[in-house]
Amino acid sequence: MAKKSVWSDNRFWQRSAGWVTGFAAMLLIWLTFDTIPQIMLGTDADLQQGVTKRVPGPTVINYKITYEMDTKRGHEIPVIGEKEKFFGRDDYSEEEAAGLLHLGKLGSQTKNCMNCHTLLGNGAYYAPDLTKAWLDPAWGPNGPMQAMTGKNTKEEAMAEFLQFPSQYPTHARMMPNLGITPEEAKGLVAFLKHMSSIDTNGFPRNFGKIEGAVHGK
């Protein structure tokens, strides 16, 4: 009888498929448990102690956020600095901040922001990516939006624009009026600020090349 090649042996391929499937399943389980701690929401205690989390706690809205180059990783990362006023306060409790973020997240869902925008890699590309919108220098003290809206702070300018976008034609694809209330706008801005503090491994790519985006200047 002619010797059968192992490459044509069905049992060899069945066993190989079993081993590969088993290994892949174990790897997936390990990656899941390795990822969970990295994506868990941080706490106010972490921020007060200077502990860096990929997803900072809600009270990060009490702090200044910049975007700085990490030479080891080869891209920019969010850096949480000193206290910074947000709608006139820098002492939001964990409960208050979490409530604002929850309101903003619900607002982004009910207003279907992802129909036009991208949030953390999800959504559409019809309108600007909002993942790092808080860090966009257009909203900064030297950007056009504060002057255009007549507001003195970044958060007030963003909230004003969200409530009355048709009054500020900033883009060829104008944002429609969505009936956003002042409180909803405040929650949405808090949500955007928190989202900008999340370490997204340099996503969206090339955002740091926007003039003024790096170091929050």
Side-chain angles (χ1 to χ4, degrees), residues 78-162:
V79 175
I80 300 166
E82 69 276 6
K83 283 290 189 80
E84 177 184 65
K85 297 285 187 181
F86 184 73
F87 288 104
R89 292 179 55 189
D90 63 4
D91 59 352
Y92 289 92
S93 69
E94 206 153 17
E95 292 74 20
E96 289 176 313
L100 271 179
L101 296 190
H102 183 65
L103 177 62
K105 182 179 179 181
L106 288 180
S108 71
Q109 293 170 341
T110 56
K111 302 301 182 181
N112 294 318
C113 295
M114 289 195 297
N115 276 2
C116 297
H117 298 278
T118 301
L119 307 175
L120 295 172
N122 298 301
Y125 288 89
Y126 182 79
D129 190 313
L130 297 181
T131 304
K132 301 298 181 189
W134 174 263
L135 299 170
D136 191 326
W139 299 100
N142 299 317
M145 294 308 298
Q146 285 190 36
M148 185 181 294
T149 58
K151 302 300 180 180
N152 296 320
T153 66
K154 179 189 298 188
E155 60 270 23
E156 290 173 333
M158 294 179 84
E160 171 72 11
F161 176 80
L162 288 170

Side-chain angles (χ1 to χ4, degrees), residues 19-38:
W19 279 105
V20 170
T21 302
F23 175 77
M26 294 300 295
L27 180 62
L28 182 60
I29 292 171
W30 178 80
L31 288 173
T32 299
F33 281 101
D34 180 64
T35 301
I36 288 175
Q38 298 190 49

Side-chain angles (χ1 to χ4, degrees), residues 66-68 135-137 207-217:
T66 57
Y67 205 50
E68 303 181 17
L135 299 170
D136 191 326
F207 176 80
K209 293 182 180 179
I210 296 177
E211 185 178 355
V214 180
H215 305 309
K217 295 180 180 177

